[in-house]
Amino acid sequence: MDHFKNILAETKDGILYLTINREDKMNALNFATLEELREVFDTVLEDKSIKAVILTGAGEKAFVAGADISEIAELNEVNARKFAENGQEIFSVIENCEKPVVAVTNGFTLGGGCELAMACHMRIASANARFGQPEVNLGIIPGYGGTQRLTILIGRGKANELMMTGDMINAEEARSLGLVNHVLPSKEEALAKAEEILHKIMSKAPLAIGMVVDCVNAVYRSDENGYQTEANSFARCVKSGDYKEGTSAFLEKRKPVFKGE
Ligand code: COA
């Protein structure tokens, strides 16, 4: 990941910290940044030393202020579809990552930035975060899954309002709508909250965590019976060593030590 130009990547205590690093452009997502995101999430799945991911933006002003408008301005009907499908595919990889992924959002979290945050498993915001889908101001709509994920997260009425007006909402409103899990006064405190949650998750059985991700996502896969997926995953859990460890530890009144197998 040393060759990345737009993303800083650093692993500490099992957490991979990914920082979108285009501060002079409000961390706008250009094609190159998206491709780096794709590459990094391939690594996340394979690298056993990475147990969880925190995704954030460089500086205090923005998490990500959207897709890079200088690239959007060059689209035609054929490559616009590919543009949307490509972004959707990468965000879907993030959403389906079997290791927990938390977005820590600070400042402007707009357009593709809001869509990126929504593809993560949870969102923790600093008080200065501003959320919105302002694409209508450019004559377009969200194309990286935003019309779907925003509606799922906050409901049809509010999603329509945000996407039709292009208005921004503040962090507290985002929390009250269910778009954000927690709001902390500063970015540092938001990062600390994400670390606290992730360290708790990392003490649990990793296979079970991955199955929670998959079963929750099954709710949104229209061709699938999520209850069946849940029953199948539940059955797979009991084949794992972690199941034996978890149940034995409870009965022996000790803390479990999970190995992810
Ligand atoms: N794509 C490309 N560049 C962007 C960008 C985006 N989505 N958002 C911000 N930038 C760039 C600006 O062009 C500017 O670059 P410059 O210094 O080379 O001119 C720089 O980031 C700083 O932005 P600026 O507009 O000067 O800051 P601001 O504090 O006045 O306003 C925003 C901040 C986020 C409100 C404003 O930049 C904005 O509305 N951005 C676009 C948001 C958007 O429509 N996103 C959806 C895209 S699909």
Side-chain angles (χ1 to χ4, degrees):
M1 291 183 256
D2 290 345
H3 58 285
F4 288 168
K5 289 202 171 74
N6 305 292
I7 296 179
L8 301 175
E10 185 195 4
T11 306
K12 208 171 71 191
D13 297 334
I15 300 177
L16 174 65
Y17 294 79
L18 293 178
T19 306
I20 312 287
N21 190 30
R22 300 185 74 220
E23 206 177 332
D24 57 329
K25 295 291 173 197
M26 297 269 174
N27 301 320
L29 293 178
N30 57 4
F31 300 134
T33 308
L34 278 180
E35 285 315 309
E36 289 179 14
L37 270 177
R38 185 201 295 277
E39 195 181 328
V40 89
F41 274 91
D42 286 345
T43 311
V44 167
L45 282 181
E46 283 164 19
D47 187 336
K48 287 202 165 30
S49 70
I50 299 171
K51 315 275 186 216
V53 181
I54 289 178
L55 187 55
T56 192
E60 291 299 324
K61 286 193 180 157
F63 169 67
V64 168
D68 192 315
I69 297 172
S70 65
E71 291 182 345
I72 289 181
E74 303 294 320
L75 294 174
N76 61 44
E77 193 180 341
V78 175
N79 62 23
R81 183 173 290 109
K82 286 197 179 127
F83 169 92
E85 287 170 351
N86 182 52
Q88 287 177 7
E89 190 183 294
I90 295 167
F91 286 12
S92 161
V93 170
I94 297 173
E95 186 171 55
N96 288 303
C97 179
E98 30 187 77
K99 303 177 186 182
V101 184
V102 175
V104 171
T105 75
N106 50 298
F108 295 111
T109 304
L110 302 175
C114 190
E115 292 174 293
L116 176 60
M118 289 192 291
C120 297
H121 301 141
M122 294 168 222
R123 286 145 294 284
I124 300 180
S126 61
N128 77 339
R130 298 283 176 277
F131 296 83
Q133 296 290 163
E135 288 86 349
V136 284
N137 297 328
L138 304 170
I140 52 175
I141 62 168
Y144 292 165
T147 60
Q148 308 301 294
R149 291 194 181 96
L150 189 63
T151 308
I152 287 164
L153 275 169
I154 70 172
R156 189 192 300 213
K158 267 293 177 186
N160 270 328
E161 184 181 334
L162 282 185
M163 287 187 279
M164 289 181 183
T165 62
D167 281 351
M168 287 186 223
I169 55 172
N170 66 29
E172 266 311 325
E173 193 175 352
R175 194 185 57 76
S176 72
L177 290 172
L179 181 54
V180 158
N181 295 50
H182 302 277
V183 177
L184 280 297
S186 67
K187 183 179 174 185
E188 288 66 35
E189 287 157 289
L191 277 166
K193 182 72 183 173
E195 286 164 353
E196 177 196 322
I197 292 174
L198 286 174
H199 282 297
K200 186 179 281 184
I201 295 172
M202 284 152 62
S203 73
K204 317 292 178 192
L207 292 175
I209 299 299
M211 287 186 203
V212 169
V213 169
D214 186 53
C215 289
V216 168
N217 288 341
V219 173
Y220 310 117
R221 295 193 286 260
S222 56
D223 56 343
E224 189 170 330
N225 179 337
Y227 290 97
Q228 195 59 58
T229 303
E230 180 185 273
N232 292 341
S233 300
F234 187 85
R236 277 169 54 211
C237 283
V238 305
K239 291 201 307 195
S240 70
D242 282 347
Y243 158 72
K244 292 200 173 51
E245 170 63 9
T247 47
S248 310
F250 179 83
L251 295 172
E252 292 160 16
K253 300 192 187 306
R254 63 174 173 82
K255 273 196 159 186
V257 181
F258 294 117
K259 293 189 176 146
E261 49 196 46

